[in-house]
Amino acid sequence: KAMVSADLKRLEAELGVSLVPRTTRRLALTEVGERFHGDCVRLIGEAGLAVQQAREGQEALRGTLRVTSTAEYGLNYVLVAIAEFSAIHPELRIEYSTLQHQADLIAGRFDVAIRLGTLRDSTLRATPLQKFGTVPVSSRAYLAGKPEITTLDDLARLDWIEHARFTSALTWTESRTGKTMQTPHFKGTLEVDTAIAARTLVLAGCGAAILPDWLLENDLREGQLIRLVPDYSLPHQGVYAVFPTTAHVPAKVRKFIDFMRDFLSRTT
Protein backbone atom coordinates (compact mmCIF):
# COMPACT_ATOMS: atom_id res chain seq x y z
CA LYS A 1 0.00 0.00 0.00
CA ALA A 2 2.81 2.39 0.88
CA MET A 3 4.55 1.73 -2.47
CA VAL A 4 1.32 2.32 -4.45
CA SER A 5 0.70 5.54 -2.53
CA ALA A 6 4.24 6.76 -3.24
CA ASP A 7 3.97 5.87 -6.96
CA LEU A 8 0.63 7.68 -7.18
CA LYS A 9 2.11 10.81 -5.61
CA ARG A 10 4.99 10.80 -8.08
CA LEU A 11 2.58 10.36 -11.01
CA GLU A 12 0.38 13.24 -9.82
CA ALA A 13 3.44 15.43 -9.38
CA GLU A 14 4.64 14.60 -12.90
CA LEU A 15 1.22 15.32 -14.42
CA GLY A 16 0.51 18.33 -12.25
CA VAL A 17 -3.05 17.16 -11.49
CA SER A 18 -4.91 15.32 -8.76
CA LEU A 19 -5.97 11.85 -9.85
CA VAL A 20 -7.25 10.33 -6.61
CA PRO A 21 -8.28 12.70 -3.82
CA ARG A 22 -7.61 10.87 -0.57
CA THR A 23 -9.87 11.13 2.45
CA THR A 24 -10.04 9.11 5.64
CA ARG A 25 -13.23 7.36 4.47
CA ARG A 26 -12.80 6.48 0.75
CA LEU A 27 -10.77 6.83 -2.43
CA ALA A 28 -12.37 7.99 -5.72
CA LEU A 29 -10.99 9.06 -9.07
CA THR A 30 -11.30 12.69 -10.04
CA GLU A 31 -12.82 13.54 -13.43
CA VAL A 32 -9.29 13.95 -14.84
CA GLY A 33 -8.29 10.69 -13.18
CA GLU A 34 -11.15 8.81 -14.82
CA ARG A 35 -10.20 10.09 -18.27
CA PHE A 36 -6.52 9.31 -17.68
CA HIS A 37 -7.36 5.79 -16.49
CA GLY A 38 -9.54 5.14 -19.56
CA ASP A 39 -6.81 6.36 -21.90
CA CYS A 40 -4.25 4.14 -20.19
CA VAL A 41 -6.49 1.07 -20.42
CA ARG A 42 -7.00 1.74 -24.14
CA LEU A 43 -3.25 2.18 -24.76
CA ILE A 44 -2.39 -1.01 -22.89
CA GLY A 45 -4.98 -2.89 -24.92
CA GLU A 46 -3.61 -1.52 -28.19
CA ALA A 47 -0.07 -2.44 -27.16
CA GLY A 48 -1.18 -5.99 -26.41
CA LEU A 49 -2.97 -6.20 -29.76
CA ALA A 50 0.12 -4.93 -31.58
CA VAL A 51 2.25 -7.64 -29.96
CA GLN A 52 -0.32 -10.31 -30.84
CA GLN A 53 -0.56 -9.19 -34.47
CA ALA A 54 3.24 -9.08 -34.79
CA ARG A 55 3.47 -12.65 -33.50
CA GLU A 56 0.74 -13.80 -35.87
CA GLY A 57 2.67 -12.33 -38.78
CA GLN A 58 5.48 -14.79 -38.12
CA GLU A 59 3.28 -17.85 -37.56
CA ALA A 60 1.67 -20.23 -40.04
CA LEU A 61 -2.11 -19.97 -40.21
CA ARG A 62 -3.84 -22.79 -38.36
CA GLY A 63 -7.32 -23.71 -37.24
CA THR A 64 -10.41 -23.42 -39.46
CA LEU A 65 -11.55 -20.64 -41.78
CA ARG A 66 -15.25 -20.75 -42.71
CA VAL A 67 -16.16 -18.89 -45.91
CA THR A 68 -19.47 -18.41 -47.71
CA SER A 69 -20.53 -16.85 -51.00
CA THR A 70 -23.12 -17.19 -53.77
CA ALA A 71 -22.97 -20.17 -56.12
CA GLU A 72 -21.97 -18.44 -59.35
CA TYR A 73 -19.47 -15.94 -57.93
CA GLY A 74 -18.05 -18.61 -55.66
CA LEU A 75 -17.55 -20.99 -58.57
CA ASN A 76 -15.96 -18.36 -60.81
CA TYR A 77 -13.72 -16.62 -58.28
CA VAL A 78 -13.91 -17.54 -54.59
CA LEU A 79 -13.17 -21.25 -54.96
CA VAL A 80 -10.29 -20.56 -57.36
CA ALA A 81 -8.84 -18.12 -54.82
CA ILE A 82 -9.35 -20.62 -52.00
CA ALA A 83 -7.39 -23.23 -53.97
CA GLU A 84 -4.39 -20.87 -54.19
CA PHE A 85 -4.74 -19.67 -50.60
CA SER A 86 -4.92 -23.24 -49.28
CA ALA A 87 -1.72 -24.17 -51.09
CA ILE A 88 0.06 -21.26 -49.39
CA HIS A 89 -1.34 -22.16 -45.94
CA PRO A 90 -1.54 -25.98 -45.85
CA GLU A 91 -2.06 -26.11 -42.07
CA LEU A 92 -5.27 -24.07 -42.29
CA ARG A 93 -8.52 -25.99 -42.77
CA ILE A 94 -10.95 -24.08 -45.04
CA GLU A 95 -14.68 -24.81 -45.08
CA TYR A 96 -16.66 -23.27 -47.94
CA SER A 97 -20.45 -23.02 -48.09
CA THR A 98 -22.66 -21.89 -50.97
CA LEU A 99 -25.65 -19.80 -49.91
CA GLN A 100 -27.88 -17.82 -52.25
CA HIS A 101 -29.38 -15.73 -49.48
CA GLN A 102 -27.27 -13.67 -47.11
CA ALA A 103 -26.21 -15.91 -44.27
CA ASP A 104 -26.22 -14.93 -40.61
CA LEU A 105 -22.48 -14.96 -40.04
CA ILE A 106 -22.77 -15.26 -36.26
CA ALA A 107 -25.39 -18.02 -36.21
CA GLY A 108 -23.66 -19.84 -39.06
CA ARG A 109 -20.23 -19.44 -37.44
CA PHE A 110 -18.77 -18.01 -40.65
CA ASP A 111 -15.52 -16.09 -40.50
CA VAL A 112 -16.06 -14.19 -43.74
CA ALA A 113 -18.68 -13.87 -46.48
CA ILE A 114 -18.04 -12.65 -50.02
CA ARG A 115 -21.15 -10.63 -50.87
CA LEU A 116 -22.28 -8.78 -53.97
CA GLY A 117 -24.53 -5.76 -54.40
CA THR A 118 -26.02 -3.67 -51.61
CA LEU A 119 -25.08 -4.48 -48.00
CA ARG A 120 -27.88 -4.42 -45.46
CA ASP A 121 -26.49 -5.56 -42.10
CA SER A 122 -24.74 -2.60 -40.44
CA THR A 123 -23.65 -4.70 -37.44
CA LEU A 124 -20.97 -6.35 -39.58
CA ARG A 125 -17.73 -4.98 -40.95
CA ALA A 126 -17.20 -4.85 -44.70
CA THR A 127 -14.18 -4.34 -46.93
CA PRO A 128 -14.64 -3.56 -50.66
CA LEU A 129 -12.83 -5.98 -52.98
CA GLN A 130 -13.86 -4.90 -56.49
CA LYS A 131 -16.67 -3.44 -58.60
CA PHE A 132 -18.57 -4.95 -61.51
CA GLY A 133 -21.17 -3.89 -64.03
CA THR A 134 -24.58 -5.32 -64.87
CA VAL A 135 -25.77 -5.43 -68.46
CA PRO A 136 -28.96 -6.34 -70.33
CA VAL A 137 -28.40 -9.22 -72.75
CA SER A 138 -30.29 -11.59 -75.01
CA SER A 139 -29.51 -14.26 -77.59
CA ARG A 140 -29.34 -13.82 -81.35
CA ALA A 141 -32.02 -16.47 -81.79
CA TYR A 142 -34.48 -14.64 -79.57
CA LEU A 143 -33.86 -11.28 -81.28
CA ALA A 144 -34.12 -12.68 -84.80
CA GLY A 145 -37.06 -11.15 -86.65
CA LYS A 146 -37.78 -8.57 -83.93
CA PRO A 147 -37.49 -4.78 -84.43
CA GLU A 148 -34.08 -3.39 -83.52
CA ILE A 149 -33.62 -2.59 -79.83
CA THR A 150 -32.06 0.88 -79.58
CA THR A 151 -33.86 2.75 -76.75
CA LEU A 152 -34.91 2.03 -73.20
CA ASP A 153 -38.54 2.05 -74.32
CA ASP A 154 -37.71 -0.76 -76.72
CA LEU A 155 -36.60 -2.94 -73.81
CA ALA A 156 -40.12 -3.02 -72.40
CA ARG A 157 -41.30 -4.96 -75.47
CA LEU A 158 -39.10 -7.95 -74.67
CA ASP A 159 -39.81 -11.05 -72.59
CA TRP A 160 -37.72 -10.83 -69.44
CA ILE A 161 -36.27 -13.44 -67.11
CA GLU A 162 -36.67 -11.87 -63.70
CA HIS A 163 -34.39 -12.34 -60.71
CA ALA A 164 -36.49 -12.87 -57.60
CA ARG A 165 -34.30 -10.68 -55.38
CA PHE A 166 -34.02 -7.69 -57.72
CA THR A 167 -37.29 -5.88 -58.30
CA SER A 168 -36.56 -2.17 -57.78
CA ALA A 169 -36.57 0.51 -60.49
CA LEU A 170 -33.53 0.72 -62.77
CA THR A 171 -31.38 3.83 -63.16
CA TRP A 172 -29.67 4.22 -66.54
CA THR A 173 -26.96 6.65 -67.66
CA GLU A 174 -26.60 7.64 -71.31
CA SER A 175 -22.91 7.49 -72.20
CA ARG A 176 -23.01 10.33 -74.73
CA THR A 177 -24.75 12.97 -72.57
CA GLY A 178 -24.36 11.65 -69.01
CA LYS A 179 -28.11 12.03 -68.57
CA THR A 180 -29.76 9.62 -66.12
CA MET A 181 -33.26 8.19 -66.35
CA GLN A 182 -35.29 5.50 -64.63
CA THR A 183 -37.36 2.62 -65.88
CA PRO A 184 -39.51 0.18 -63.93
CA HIS A 185 -38.03 -3.26 -63.38
CA PHE A 186 -38.97 -5.20 -66.49
CA LYS A 187 -41.52 -7.98 -65.97
CA GLY A 188 -41.64 -11.40 -67.55
CA THR A 189 -43.23 -14.82 -67.31
CA LEU A 190 -40.06 -16.51 -66.01
CA GLU A 191 -38.49 -15.90 -62.61
CA VAL A 192 -35.32 -17.40 -61.13
CA ASP A 193 -33.30 -16.93 -57.96
CA THR A 194 -29.76 -17.19 -59.36
CA ALA A 195 -27.88 -15.37 -62.08
CA ILE A 196 -26.64 -18.64 -63.57
CA ALA A 197 -30.24 -19.83 -63.99
CA ALA A 198 -31.16 -16.58 -65.76
CA ARG A 199 -28.14 -16.94 -68.06
CA THR A 200 -29.18 -20.51 -68.95
CA LEU A 201 -32.67 -19.35 -69.94
CA VAL A 202 -31.30 -16.43 -71.95
CA LEU A 203 -28.96 -18.77 -73.84
CA ALA A 204 -31.97 -21.01 -74.52
CA GLY A 205 -33.69 -18.11 -76.29
CA CYS A 206 -36.36 -17.48 -73.63
CA GLY A 207 -35.90 -13.71 -73.51
CA ALA A 208 -33.63 -11.04 -72.01
CA ALA A 209 -32.08 -10.56 -68.59
CA ILE A 210 -29.84 -8.16 -66.68
CA LEU A 211 -26.75 -10.07 -65.59
CA PRO A 212 -23.33 -9.32 -64.04
CA ASP A 213 -20.61 -8.68 -66.59
CA TRP A 214 -18.20 -11.17 -64.99
CA LEU A 215 -20.67 -13.96 -65.81
CA LEU A 216 -20.97 -12.96 -69.47
CA GLU A 217 -17.38 -12.48 -70.67
CA ASN A 218 -17.20 -15.66 -72.76
CA ASP A 219 -20.78 -15.42 -74.02
CA LEU A 220 -20.30 -11.87 -75.30
CA ARG A 221 -16.85 -12.55 -76.75
CA GLU A 222 -18.07 -15.65 -78.60
CA GLY A 223 -21.24 -13.92 -79.79
CA GLN A 224 -23.64 -16.29 -78.03
CA LEU A 225 -25.25 -13.31 -76.29
CA ILE A 226 -25.71 -9.72 -77.42
CA ARG A 227 -25.55 -6.68 -75.18
CA LEU A 228 -28.69 -4.59 -75.51
CA VAL A 229 -28.78 -0.75 -75.61
CA PRO A 230 -24.96 -0.40 -75.32
CA ASP A 231 -25.31 3.39 -75.21
CA TYR A 232 -26.84 3.08 -71.74
CA SER A 233 -25.28 1.74 -68.56
CA LEU A 234 -26.48 0.73 -65.11
CA PRO A 235 -24.65 1.66 -61.87
CA HIS A 236 -21.72 -0.51 -60.89
CA GLN A 237 -22.16 -2.94 -58.03
CA GLY A 238 -19.66 -3.88 -55.34
CA VAL A 239 -18.06 -7.10 -54.14
CA TYR A 240 -17.36 -7.05 -50.40
CA ALA A 241 -15.67 -9.19 -47.80
CA VAL A 242 -18.01 -9.12 -44.79
CA PHE A 243 -16.98 -10.34 -41.35
CA PRO A 244 -18.15 -10.06 -37.72
CA THR A 245 -17.27 -6.96 -35.75
CA THR A 246 -14.70 -7.88 -33.10
CA ALA A 247 -11.98 -6.02 -31.21
CA HIS A 248 -9.36 -8.14 -32.96
CA VAL A 249 -9.76 -9.49 -36.49
CA PRO A 250 -8.08 -12.93 -36.63
CA ALA A 251 -5.01 -13.21 -38.83
CA LYS A 252 -6.65 -15.93 -40.94
CA VAL A 253 -9.49 -13.52 -41.82
CA ARG A 254 -7.23 -10.53 -42.51
CA LYS A 255 -4.87 -12.55 -44.69
CA PHE A 256 -7.68 -14.20 -46.64
CA ILE A 257 -9.31 -10.83 -47.36
CA ASP A 258 -5.98 -9.36 -48.46
CA PHE A 259 -5.40 -12.39 -50.65
CA MET A 260 -8.88 -12.13 -52.22
CA ARG A 261 -8.31 -8.46 -53.08
CA ASP A 262 -4.95 -9.28 -54.69
CA PHE A 263 -6.39 -12.31 -56.49
CA LEU A 264 -9.25 -10.29 -58.00
CA SER A 265 -6.89 -7.53 -59.12
CA ARG A 266 -4.82 -10.16 -60.94
CA THR A 267 -7.64 -12.10 -62.54
CA THR A 268 -10.37 -9.57 -63.42
Side-chain angles (χ1 to χ4, degrees), residues 48-229:
L49 179 59
V51 171
Q52 184 177 355
Q53 290 177 336
R55 288 173 175 167
E56 285 179 345
Q58 302 302 317
E59 296 175 357
L61 297 184
R62 296 182 177 86
T64 300
L65 176 70
R66 302 195 74 236
V67 182
T68 180
S69 186
T70 60
E72 47 272 273
Y73 194 81
L75 183 62
N76 280 270
Y77 296 105
V78 182
L79 285 172
V80 182
I82 284 176
E84 287 190 23
F85 189 71
S86 180
I88 298 171
H89 303 285
E91 296 184 52
L92 179 68
R93 174 182 173 84
I94 303 177
E95 297 177 0
Y96 175 79
S97 177
T98 297
L99 294 172
Q100 285 308 122
H101 303 290
Q102 291 193 357
D104 184 330
L105 267 61
I106 305 302
R109 297 183 298 108
F110 290 108
D111 296 298
V112 59
I114 306 301
R115 290 181 175 172
L116 284 66
T118 303
L119 301 180
R120 298 184 181 89
D121 194 339
S122 60
T123 64
L124 301 173
R125 296 176 64 180
T127 297
L129 299 178
Q130 70 168 165
K131 290 185 177 181
F132 66 93
T134 55
V135 295
V137 293
S138 190
S139 68
R140 293 184 183 275
Y142 173 77
L143 295 173
K146 290 183 171 57
E148 186 178 3
I149 305 298
T150 58
T151 69
L152 298 183
D153 290 336
D154 294 337
L155 294 177
R157 301 199 309 263
L158 302 177
D159 300 303
W160 285 87
I161 293 100
E162 297 181 61
H163 195 299
R165 290 188 292 122
F166 303 111
T167 58
S168 59
L170 302 168
T171 300
W172 305 81
T173 301
E174 187 179 16
S175 58
R176 182 175 58 84
T177 63
K179 180 181 178 181
T180 61
M181 56 203 77
Q182 280 197 336
T183 64
H185 201 84
F186 301 116
K187 298 292 184 180
T189 57
L190 294 172
E191 181 180 282
V192 296
D193 64 355
T194 67
I196 195 68
R199 171 180 171 269
T200 300
L201 292 175
V202 173
L203 287 169
C206 296
I210 295 174
L211 295 170
D213 57 9
W214 50 263
L215 190 61
L216 302 171
E217 291 179 359
N218 292 336
D219 299 328
L220 293 173
R221 182 172 58 251
E222 296 170 4
Q224 293 183 341
L225 294 180
I226 298 173
R227 178 172 180 171
L228 305 174
V229 291

Side-chain angles (χ1 to χ4, degrees), residues 8-23 26-37:
L8 180 58
K9 287 181 180 179
R10 282 196 295 271
L11 180 58
E12 288 178 324
E14 182 177 344
L15 297 175
V17 296
S18 173
L19 300 174
V20 184
R22 278 145 326 255
T23 68
R26 62 188 292 271
L27 297 177
L29 287 171
T30 63
E31 183 179 351
V32 174
E34 288 182 355
R35 287 202 305 269
F36 184 68
H37 175 263

Side-chain angles (χ1 to χ4, degrees), residues 236-253:
H236 277 74
Q237 303 292 315
V239 179
Y240 302 89
V242 181
F243 50 101
T245 300
T246 57
H248 169 54
V249 180
K252 61 184 180 182
V253 173

